[in-house]
Amino acid sequence: MSETQTVTNKCIEVKIPGTDLSFRVCEDTVGLKLIHNNKEITVSIDDFRNAYALRALLALEFNYDLKSELTGKIAGFLQLNEEVNKLINQTTQNSETKEYKICLKLVNNICNGEYILANKQGVFLLNQIYVKSLNNFQDELKLISSVKIKEINEIKFNGIIDVDFNERFVKITTDENKVITGSVDEVTTFIKSKYGLKKS
């Protein structure tokens, strides 16, 4: 039986029995965050629950052998851990009030203050504007669509060919289980065109 310890910020530490390995599983805005060997990745709950997908992530992101017994053991203990499953259930229950926020443009790996924000009320463009009189940043929200969003996952590509497209890719699932996939710019444009508010 794996030894677990609940840590701060809705994280669970899972120690893999018979090894010196441990993984930290945390709640994240787009699913779960998996932390191991000073590296963290974001994984959707669907991929975490899928045995092959989780093994593939362990291989691609943490350099484990996809076909090894150890990789299967790690995936199994992560998926079957009671505390992790409580965290997943809580995350799923909280999805009704969850907001997803993804930066539209990164400059030197820092967001320029423009985001796409989605929740059960719709999809918004969010600008963080500096107000000199308040000496602080204020959020400016503009509703661009009333489509209701169930989940947003950021997509990472892995392969032999260089896949640094200088763009961020996302998969959006609506309340009606329609899936929209593409770069952040493409998805934003599509939502405004397909599901956008009617102009008066």
Side-chain angles (χ1 to χ4, degrees), residues 35-49:
I35 305 169
H36 176 62
N37 283 347
N38 297 318
K39 181 178 181 180
E40 64 178 55
I41 63 168
T42 299
V43 54
S44 72
I45 290 174
D46 286 343
D47 283 347
F48 187 88
R49 285 173 166 165

Side-chain angles (χ1 to χ4, degrees), residues 27-138:
E27 184 179 21
D28 189 69
T29 54
V30 291
L32 296 172
K33 192 172 286 183
L34 195 58
I35 305 169
H36 176 62
N37 283 347
N38 297 318
K39 181 178 181 180
E40 64 178 55
I41 63 168
T42 299
V43 54
S44 72
I45 290 174
D46 286 343
D47 283 347
F48 187 88
R49 285 173 166 165
N50 182 304
Y52 185 81
L54 184 55
R55 286 180 68 136
L57 280 169
L58 291 170
L60 289 168
E61 300 291 350
F62 298 112
N63 298 317
Y64 286 95
D65 184 345
L66 177 64
K67 298 180 181 179
S68 78
E69 184 178 334
L70 175 61
T71 308
K73 181 178 182 179
I74 294 169
F77 273 97
L78 289 172
Q79 290 175 323
L80 296 174
N81 183 272
E82 185 178 345
E83 295 299 321
V84 171
N85 279 293
K86 286 181 183 177
L87 182 66
I88 290 173
N89 290 336
Q90 184 179 354
T91 301
T92 304
Q93 289 169 3
N94 290 343
S95 64
E96 290 297 314
T97 57
K98 186 174 287 185
E99 284 191 339
Y100 297 94
K101 185 168 75 171
I102 294 179
C103 182
L104 287 172
K105 187 176 181 182
L106 293 172
V107 179
N108 297 323
N109 288 324
I110 299 173
C111 188
N112 69 345
E114 295 182 13
Y115 299 86
I116 182 169
L117 178 75
N119 54 34
K120 291 290 183 178
Q121 280 68 55
V123 181
F124 304 80
L125 287 179
L126 184 151
N127 285 306
Q128 291 186 330
I129 300 171
Y130 181 72
V131 181
K132 191 174 181 179
S133 60
L134 298 174
N135 193 30
N136 203 350
F137 286 90
Q138 297 290 310

Side-chain angles (χ1 to χ4, degrees), residues 134-189:
L134 298 174
N135 193 30
N136 203 350
F137 286 90
Q138 297 290 310
D139 290 344
E140 180 183 75
L141 280 177
K142 179 182 179 183
L143 182 66
I144 61 171
S145 173
S146 57
V147 64
K148 292 176 175 56
I149 301 299
K150 181 190 292 183
E151 187 176 38
I152 296 181
N153 294 311
E154 191 163 358
I155 299 172
K156 289 186 177 180
F157 294 92
N158 292 283
I160 298 172
I161 301 172
D162 183 9
V163 290
D164 183 8
F165 299 119
N166 294 318
E167 285 193 84
R168 305 178 73 200
F169 290 79
V170 293
K171 180 178 82 171
I172 293 179
T173 306
T174 71
D175 249 12
E176 299 173 344
N177 289 321
K178 292 182 180 178
V179 176
I180 306 163
T181 306
S183 72
V184 172
D185 286 343
E186 289 171 340
V187 168
T188 304
T189 302

